[in-house]
Amino acid sequence: MPRHVRRIDTLAAFDAEFSDVAGRPSLRGSVIESLDLRDRSDELLSAAVSGAVFLGCLFVGEVDERLRRAGALVFPRIPHVPFDPYRGELYTADELYGMDRYAASLDGIVYAWSRTHTPHSTVSASLAVALHDHSISAALDAELADSARGAVVGVMGGHGVQRGDDQYRAAAGLGRDLARLGRTVLTGGGPGAMEATNLGAYLAGEDDGALDAAIELLAVAPDFHNDIDAWVSTAREVRLRWPHGTRSVGIPTWFYGHEPPGQFATAIAKYFANPIREATLLARCDGGIVFLPGAAGTVSEIFADACENYYADVRDVAPMVLVGTQQWTQDLPAWPLLQALGAQRTLGERIRLVDTADDAPSALGLR
């Protein structure tokens, strides 16, 4: 959402537009999202509303029609969807999971809906999904608006990494180190290495023993396949024990809804459309991306990022750090191809291959 557009997503913010106003109040240039305005009819009808946009708001009687005649755009609520297509903020772990069993949580319910309502199954489903993902992108921009250029660093890696193993600990240590170096950590928001990285960032303000203790608690439920409720509840236990986590962002998707999102990102930008989610992941990481060992998804992200950096303006080519010499030169030899692509281009100057996650911050130029 452009910076000059006023977003109004609480009644307090709405009422502030009408306090201490000399002359006729104006909502021009405002986007009013998902508010119950049935008790604000007088204010609405007294204001200049030409060009204002109302998304999923509730009105009394014919107020919405009068707003349209006055030049406002009014988008009604979309019925029979288990999510708010116009939501004005990112998700939290508490919102997605609540205290219920996973199947009864918001995340589980929306995933079940997405399995029976493909984006093209009905017009209303298509609109709801598209509007939701647009709103999430706008909310993500707002979340990262205070980040200095180069301050957002992405970490990509395999979803199959189990809690407690060496790769999980390495990813968690990397997330902690990046957060302590003042970076906002952004991941794909899922389980495995992604969860571990957000966990490390979350506990960056604690002593190192807290991270070790948290991993031991989590290792009781090493993955979500055998018992998803145990996997969820152990993460909730960690968050309750250390409730004041350092900020990081996760960007998961209901496209891979069988993989539940991690709970340690303090802001969760969850999408329906995976291509939008992938592009969002890459575009926001202006401080560079670290690629931990992974499989097809991580390989795809490496070359999507490489493509952007290949064609980008010199000033916009962000560092790429691949972790694991054996992984990326022998097992899945992405590194030689990356070198070939980067030859005689700025891309080639910004790529690094390191042995361990401990080496990644230095490869990004952070220490």
Side-chain angles (χ1 to χ4, degrees):
M1 186 177 295
R3 296 259 177 116
H4 65 276
V5 174
R6 292 177 297 172
R7 190 178 73 186
I8 301 173
D9 55 9
T10 67
L11 286 175
F14 179 87
D15 292 338
E17 297 292 322
F18 293 85
S19 62
D20 301 323
V21 174
R24 188 183 184 191
S26 175
L27 292 173
R28 291 191 180 105
S30 298
V31 175
I32 302 93
E33 301 175 348
S34 299
L35 295 184
D36 185 344
L37 298 174
R38 288 175 292 187
D39 291 332
R40 303 296 194 279
S41 297
D42 291 342
E43 290 86 347
L44 287 167
L45 297 177
S46 70
V49 297
S50 178
V53 180
F54 294 86
L55 302 175
C57 297
L58 295 177
F59 307 98
V60 168
E62 297 181 353
V63 169
D64 56 342
E65 183 56 36
R66 294 177 66 177
L67 292 173
R68 289 189 184 94
R69 290 200 298 267
L73 293 174
V74 182
F75 292 82
R77 294 196 173 191
I78 299 176
H80 311 306
V81 296
F83 56 90
D84 180 3
Y86 305 113
R87 64 176 295 116
E89 58 190 8
L90 301 182
Y91 292 100
T92 65
D94 285 334
E95 184 180 7
L96 287 174
Y97 285 108
M99 297 299 290
D100 299 315
R101 294 177 62 83
Y102 178 73
S105 69
L106 175 63
D107 194 69
I109 290 170
V110 175
Y111 173 55
W113 178 90
S114 72
R115 298 289 289 172
T116 58
H117 294 75
T118 65
H120 305 294
S121 59
T122 65
V123 172
S124 61
S126 296
L127 285 172
V129 165
L131 289 167
H132 172 276
D133 285 1
H134 171 80
S135 297
I136 289 296
S137 291
L140 181 60
D141 285 340
E143 175 69 27
L144 298 176
D146 62 349
S147 298
R149 181 176 175 84
V152 179
V153 174
V155 178
M156 313 300 169
H159 60 243
V161 175
Q162 292 202 332
R163 291 168 167 176
D165 72 13
D166 290 343
Q167 288 190 44
Y168 191 94
R169 293 178 185 276
L174 174 61
R176 176 192 60 199
D177 292 347
L178 291 172
R180 286 179 176 175
L181 288 165
R183 281 0 186 219
T184 297
V185 175
L186 187 154
T187 79
M194 295 172 282
E195 180 194 61
T197 304
N198 287 123
L199 170 66
Y202 182 85
L203 293 175
E206 306 288 341
D207 60 58
D208 290 350
L211 183 56
D212 292 333
I215 292 175
E216 293 305 315
L217 284 171
L218 294 169
V220 173
D223 63 51
F224 64 89
H225 294 96
N226 294 328
D227 187 344
I228 191 170
D229 290 322
W231 187 86
V232 170
S233 65
T234 50
R236 183 183 295 120
E237 183 180 349
V238 169
R239 290 194 297 111
L240 290 173
R241 183 168 172 180
W242 293 280
H244 305 297
T246 300
R247 181 176 79 160
S248 70
V249 179
I251 307 184
T253 172
W254 277 295
F255 180 79
Y256 296 131
H258 60 286
E259 296 180 358
Q263 294 186 45
F264 301 113
T266 56
I268 300 173
K270 190 150 193 179
Y271 287 85
F272 285 97
N274 192 53
I276 296 176
R277 173 250 190 175
E278 293 282 2
T280 297
L281 271 167
L282 301 175
R284 301 308 193 277
C285 300
D286 57 3
I289 299 178
V290 178
F291 298 93
L292 299 172
T298 308
V299 172
S300 173
E301 288 160 350
I302 288 172
F303 287 107
D305 192 29
C307 184
E308 288 198 4
N309 282 328
Y310 185 90
Y311 291 108
D313 185 273
V314 171
R315 297 167 298 176
D316 297 326
V317 179
M320 299 176 64
V321 178
L322 277 61
V323 175
T325 303
Q326 172 72 28
Q327 168 80 10
W328 299 120
T329 62
Q330 302 296 322
D331 299 340
L332 296 173
W335 178 250
L337 180 52
L338 201 58
Q339 285 184 301
L341 282 171
Q344 300 181 357
R345 301 186 73 92
T346 304
L347 168 64
E349 302 170 6
R350 305 286 168 84
I351 57 175
R352 298 289 186 274
L353 176 65
V354 298
D355 288 325
T356 70
D358 287 340
D359 302 321
S362 295
L364 288 169
L366 301 182
R367 63 183 183 196

